[in-house]
Amino acid sequence: MNNGRICVSVCAETADKMLEQIERAEDLADVIEIRLDCLNESEIDSTLKKIDCKENYIFTYRPKNQGGRRELTLKEREDFWNSGYDFCGGDFEEDVVENHLYWLYHPVICSYHNFDGIPDHLTQIYERIKNANANIDVIKIAVQANDITDTIAVWKLLERMNAESESIKAKKLKEIEELEKKLNSSIPRPISFLQIIPIAMGEAGKWTRILGLAHGAFMTYASLETGKETASGQISAKDLIETYRVRELDAQTEIYGIIGNPVSHSLSPFMHNAAFKFHNLNAVYIPFEVKNLNEFLRRMVKPETREIDLNFKGFSVTIPHKQAIIEHLDFVDETAKAIGAVNTVKIIGGKFHGFNTDAEGFIEPLRNSYGDLRDAKIAVLGAGGAARACIYALKKEGANVCIFARNIEKAKILAKEFDVELKPLSTQHSALSTFDIVVNATPLGTKGKLENETPIFAEQIKSVKLVYDLVYNPFETQFLREAKSVGVPTIGGLAMLVSQAMEQFKIWTQFDVPMKEMSQAAFRRL
Ligand code: NAP
């Protein structure tokens, strides 16, 4: 448990919509940020008259260059804050914070936003705000991370504030006591002796929103719901609370996560966090969007070179780092070596151990559905990374495998390595009629541009015994519909996804795998 707060940011154009969002946010949030700059000009007055000020409300009236919704001059903002409304807490930009009647607002947040990247002089900006001639309770610094290592500078501000907090508190208390002596009366203590909200915006910065509270950040911002984000990388309050359990995390929390690019679509955080929650483990699983793997491992993970100290215990590894991760590992298990790809890393005593759970994750649902695979004739469509894991697992079971690929030259390497047959993939041929099982290991059918596509049609698979699509989103692909239309039993990609995640959970922890919770979490998300 930590002392941090979850702040839901609400942003609407009319008074009615704003009030409706505030009401919904009350159930989830410790603090509500009311973005007055989102309102139509004509709605501001009526909105402010309808809001009853509460201790946990914070108003913003932000100009566009600081992330607001409208162009606002300094004078317009100064006039606004001095207009005599009954404001609650306020979040001010640096240029207005010293000039307005700040003692009317509790708390006073002074914020700095940069949507281009991390400025070189971030520490100076922090020092400048810290030393501003204003009664600031909280410094908020929100800057865009374009790669994950950009987040280091932001995290260092939190470490700096933590190191300085006792001396800041002592200094402020001394000032208050001196003032009290002068006035010969007591003054209420501030709600905070200066704290910080460090935010790295963007997908790469998501982890700072999840781990901030555990490491002493005053607050973390959340959206009212998925799709209502007011800043890039924001997570819904429900997910922060229920999936990432951010209020329960602390500095000892074990950190797991998925490293890849992209990772925003990943269902793994939902499955693994559901498992951690089930066992009440002090552990969290986070999406880490990593473009440069070397730099991420060197500057953020490896104990001997890292610049910040996070309690990493393991990773899932996905595209495009499954092969590249291998040179960074201290040990690689036999299955991962044979497949030539690692999708799971466990960190034990600072040493990095690599595994591959795709093969077992693939074969387990197939064995459950089909039974003994010895001598089964299996067509694998596609010759990429997933196909490698499938072919390895199928060969181990004693199946007869044939690869069907569009790029024969490229696929020849794979076919030779595993000593399997290779044929061209085509929607015309009838070569599939003699197979027992057909596996789709191409991305055809995946949500988005490829959603209506299928590698083969019903006519080609009507005599096979089972089809297995590795694509898991959507739950039912066009390929599976083709099979169902001719009465062929199917396995969807979600089965493999959950099964490989369960294998990962086994590798990372000593606990029983909560199968039901993990699969329900993935299914709900889809
Ligand atoms: P990959 O390494 O990029 O390989 C994709 C393969 O599909 C390549 O052989 C590629 O051929 C072929 N391909 C791509 N587009 C094609 C098209 N339009 N027509 C015919 N063939 C095409 O990707 P991967 O990692 O193997 O993943 C493949 C699929 O499996 C993805 O959809 C992924 O989401 C899914 N998957 C699911 C799970 C799970 O747990 N359910 C796990 C892993 C992967 P070229 O070599 O000619 O480009």
Side-chain angles (χ1 to χ4, degrees):
M1 207 69 182
N2 56 62
N3 296 319
R5 301 151 183 82
I6 293 174
C7 175
V8 169
S9 186
V10 296
C11 172
E13 287 168 2
T14 64
D16 287 348
K17 283 187 188 154
M18 191 69 103
L19 292 170
E20 182 257 332
Q21 288 196 18
I22 293 171
E23 199 183 321
R24 282 165 55 208
E26 296 275 8
D27 292 339
L28 299 161
D30 302 305
V31 176
I32 301 175
E33 179 192 59
I34 302 167
R35 290 277 308 273
L36 298 173
D37 49 271
C38 296
L39 288 164
N40 293 332
E41 185 71 43
S42 58
E43 296 281 324
I44 293 179
D45 182 61
S46 58
T47 308
L48 283 167
K49 283 181 179 151
K50 283 177 188 164
I51 293 176
D52 289 329
C53 229
K54 287 193 185 163
E55 253 180 21
N56 64 333
Y57 286 1
I58 293 171
F59 288 130
T60 70
Y61 194 58
R62 212 169 269 154
K64 214 166 200 170
N65 67 357
Q66 285 291 300
R69 290 290 164 99
R70 55 168 70 204
E71 302 290 354
L72 292 166
T73 64
L74 174 59
K75 175 147 186 348
E76 281 169 324
R77 283 179 292 131
E78 282 178 341
D79 289 350
F80 177 79
W81 289 118
N82 290 311
S83 57
Y85 285 112
D86 178 20
F87 288 124
C88 325
D91 179 340
F92 308 95
E93 302 74 52
E94 264 189 284
D95 57 356
V96 286
V97 77
E98 291 195 15
N99 298 334
H100 77 90
L101 307 171
Y102 52 74
W103 53 85
L104 293 179
Y105 310 100
H106 301 288
V108 170
I109 298 177
C110 180
S111 60
Y112 169 85
H113 293 83
N114 190 318
F115 296 90
D116 297 325
I118 316 283
D120 292 339
H121 56 296
L122 198 62
T123 318
Q124 279 114 295
I125 294 167
Y126 160 83
E127 287 293 333
R128 199 169 67 209
I129 300 176
K130 195 175 87 181
N131 297 317
N133 184 23
N135 199 13
I136 297 168
D137 296 301
V138 183
I139 301 173
K140 173 187 172 192
I141 293 194
V143 285
Q144 176 69 27
N146 295 316
D147 197 1
I148 193 141
T149 45
D150 289 347
T151 60
I152 296 172
V154 180
W155 200 248
K156 283 207 163 288
L157 293 180
L158 180 58
E159 292 181 347
R160 193 180 176 114
M161 178 62 92
N162 286 340
E164 292 176 349
S165 69
E166 281 309 309
S167 62
I168 291 172
K169 185 174 171 184
K171 185 167 165 261
K172 282 221 171 185
L173 277 175
K174 202 162 162 234
E175 280 169 13
I176 291 171
E177 279 159 16
E178 276 166 14
L179 197 60
E180 283 178 332
K181 262 189 220 154
K182 227 193 229 169
L183 298 171
N184 200 19
S185 77
S186 61
I187 301 172
R189 271 28 181 182
I191 66 141
S192 135
F193 294 96
L194 201 60
Q195 293 195 47
I196 192 164
I197 308 170
I199 303 166
M201 293 185 287
E203 189 62 35
K206 231 171 195 168
W207 71 268
T208 62
R209 297 179 183 274
I210 297 168
L211 290 182
L213 301 188
H215 290 258
F218 178 75
M219 196 153 83
T220 188
Y221 287 82
S223 65
L224 187 55
E225 63 200 20
T226 304
K228 280 226 176 322
E229 296 77 16
T230 55
S232 149
Q234 218 173 52
I235 299 167
S236 73
K238 192 167 182 293
D239 281 348
L240 278 184
I241 297 165
E242 291 176 11
T243 300
Y244 297 104
R245 297 183 295 150
V246 295
R247 289 187 179 124
E248 293 161 45
L249 311 181
D250 57 32
Q252 281 70 50
T253 299
E254 297 190 339
I255 299 170
Y256 296 84
I258 179 160
I259 55 181
N261 183 25
V263 289
S264 57
H265 65 285
S266 176
L267 298 180
S268 297
F270 303 99
M271 292 189 280
H272 287 296
N273 284 317
F276 291 151
K277 190 175 179 173
F278 178 82
H279 286 295
N280 204 16
L281 301 182
N282 189 9
V284 65
Y285 184 101
I286 297 172
F288 294 106
E289 186 192 82
V290 172
K291 289 182 190 147
N292 186 328
L293 181 67
N294 291 354
E295 285 298 279
F296 169 65
L297 294 173
R298 184 177 71 80
R299 297 186 60 198
M300 291 179 67
V301 186
K302 291 272 177 168
E304 54 279 11
T305 52
R306 67 185 174 201
E307 295 166 36
I308 54 175
D309 194 4
L310 295 174
N311 192 15
F312 285 121
K313 292 292 175 191
F315 296 113
S316 305
V317 186
T318 188
I319 291 170
H321 303 312
K322 280 187 180 183
Q323 279 89 35
I325 190 84
I326 292 175
E327 65 172 285
H328 300 281
L329 303 176
D330 299 291
F331 306 98
V332 180
D333 97 322
E334 287 310 313
T335 303
K337 260 190 211 154
I339 297 170
V342 161
N343 79 333
T344 310
V345 174
K346 180 173 183 173
I347 304 169
I348 311 167
K351 297 281 180 220
F352 289 60
H353 299 244
F355 305 86
N356 190 309
T357 66
D358 281 336
E360 185 55 29
F362 162 75
I363 212 77
E364 216 247 354
L366 187 56
R367 254 196 247 115
N368 291 345
S369 274
Y370 189 84
D372 188 1
L373 290 157
R374 178 157 298 279
D375 298 327
K377 290 190 73 185
I378 303 182
V380 174
L381 317 180
R388 283 185 82 83
C390 299
I391 294 164
Y392 168 83
L394 290 168
K395 289 277 291 180
K396 226 172 139 205
E397 296 289 308
N400 286 321
V401 179
C402 178
I403 303 172
F404 286 82
R406 66 170 176 187
N407 185 338
I408 288 286
E409 278 314 303
K410 215 167 126 191
K412 264 184 189 162
I413 304 166
L414 182 64
K416 192 162 172 234
E417 192 179 327
F418 287 98
D419 189 23
V420 296
E421 246 190 294
L422 172 63
K423 290 187 175 164
L425 178 63
S426 150
T427 48
Q428 306 296 322
H429 65 79
S430 57
L432 289 166
S433 59
T434 58
F435 284 89
D436 298 312
I437 299 167
V438 178
V439 178
N440 175 33
T442 78
L444 292 175
T446 304
K447 193 171 184 149
K449 282 196 300 253
L450 299 175
E451 191 160 351
N452 295 322
E453 302 207 19
T454 175
I456 46 174
F457 293 99
E459 196 53 29
Q460 297 172 272
I461 43 173
K462 62 181 181 203
S463 56
V464 307
K465 295 182 185 140
L466 181 73
V467 306
Y468 189 172
D469 199 345
L470 302 199
V471 175
Y472 57 83
N473 189 9
F475 184 67
E476 187 177 81
T477 59
Q478 184 57 35
F479 176 53
L480 295 183
R481 281 195 290 273
E482 296 284 330
K484 280 182 182 169
S485 73
V486 284
V488 175
T490 61
I491 307 176
L494 196 65
M496 170 174 174
L497 188 78
V498 175
S499 174
Q500 62 79 32
M502 292 196 309
E503 290 299 313
Q504 293 185 318
F505 188 78
K506 266 190 222 162
I507 289 170
W508 290 329
T509 77
Q510 316 299 315
F511 294 88
D512 292 341
V513 181
M515 200 171 136
K516 195 174 103 200
E517 282 68 21
M518 290 180 82
S519 42
Q520 279 179 350
F523 186 70
R524 264 199 305 270
R525 236 340 110 150
L526 265 190

